[in-house]
Amino acid sequence: MPQFYGIEVSSRLLLGTARYPSPAVLAEAVRRSGTDIVTVSLRRETAGGRAGGAFFELIRELGVRVLPNTAGCHSVAEAVVTAKMAREVFAGNWIKLEVIGHHDTLQPDVFGLVEAARILVGEGFAVFPYTTDDLVVAERLLEAGCQVLMPWCAPIGSAMGPQNIPALRAMRAHFPDVPLIVDAGIGRPSHAAAVMELGYDAVLLNTAVAGAVDPASMAAAFAAAIEAGNAAHHAGMLEPRDMAVPSTPVIGKAVFS
C-alpha cells in the first residue's frame, strides 16, 4: 500500500468533502469509499461562520486523516497563511498546496507553487502540491522538499478525464520512487482505472462523487475501479499490437482435406 510522508494508508482513494447535498450523504460516501484521507478547504468552510465549526466537527467524527488544502488561494502569501491556519485548526502538518494561476481553468500558478512549497517545507509542513504534468515543475517541487506530487489530468471539476496520457506516463517513468497522486479532472470510474493502470499510487477526487445522483454508490464504484486499475498494472498488461494475433494456436491444428 502507498506511503505518504512515512504514513502508510490502506486505500488509494483520497476523497474531497465539498458540495455534498448533506452531512449525512458525505459521511456515507466516505464510509463506502473506504478512504483513509479526506481533503478539506479551510477557506471555504471558515467563510461559513458557525457552520464551519460544525463541519470540522463532522470531519473529525469520520475517523479519517484530514488533508487540509489551500483551495481558492491565488498568491503565495494567501496559500502560506491558509496553510498555517489549517495547521492550527487540525493540529497536523499535512497540507495540499494549491496556488491558482488562472480563473477559468483553475490551472496552478507553477511559479508561485514552487515558491510557496519551499516556504512551507521550511516551516515543517508535509506538502502535497497540486501541479501540472510538467516534468521540470515536478523537479523543482522535489528540490523544494516535496515528497509527493499531485499532477492534474484535466481542469478541476471538468470531469473530462485524462487529457494527456503520454505526459502522465512520462511522469510516472521519470519519478519511479516518488508517490504520485492524480488530482483533478476525474469524472468516471473508468478514468480513475486508466490512470491507475499507468502505475500511479492514488487518485484524489471530489466533484465526480459529490455531484453524482447517488454519491455513496459512486464512491464505492470509484474505490473498486481504483483497485482494479492498480491490480491490472501490477499484473502486467498486454501492450497494443499492430496486427491480429490468434488466441487459438494454429501449430498442431488438424488439417481437413
Side-chain angles (χ1 to χ4, degrees), residues 133 135 151 164-176 180 182 194-195 197-200 233 237 239-240:
D133 53 23
L135 296 181
N164 194 342
I165 288 289
L168 291 174
R169 183 180 289 113
M171 180 169 279
R172 178 70 283 176
H174 198 71
F175 304 107
L180 299 179
V182 170
V195 297
E197 288 173 356
L198 298 176
Y200 276 72
H233 170 74
M237 296 174 294
E239 293 300 319

Side-chain angles (χ1 to χ4, degrees), residues 106-189:
L106 302 181
Q107 181 170 330
D109 172 358
V110 295
F111 306 102
L113 181 67
V114 172
E115 182 182 349
R118 185 173 290 110
I119 293 170
L120 291 174
V121 169
E123 295 274 353
F125 283 89
V127 177
F128 293 68
Y130 162 61
T131 184
T132 64
D133 53 23
D134 186 284
L135 296 181
V136 177
V137 175
E139 291 277 14
R140 297 294 180 269
L141 288 167
L142 294 175
E143 290 169 3
C146 297
Q147 297 178 27
V148 175
L149 297 173
M150 302 181 72
W152 71 348
C153 74
I156 293 173
S158 68
M160 291 191 295
Q163 297 297 289
N164 194 342
I165 288 289
L168 291 174
R169 183 180 289 113
M171 180 169 279
R172 178 70 283 176
H174 198 71
F175 304 107
D177 301 320
V178 176
L180 299 179
I181 304 170
V182 170
D183 177 22
I186 296 287
R188 300 183 178 189

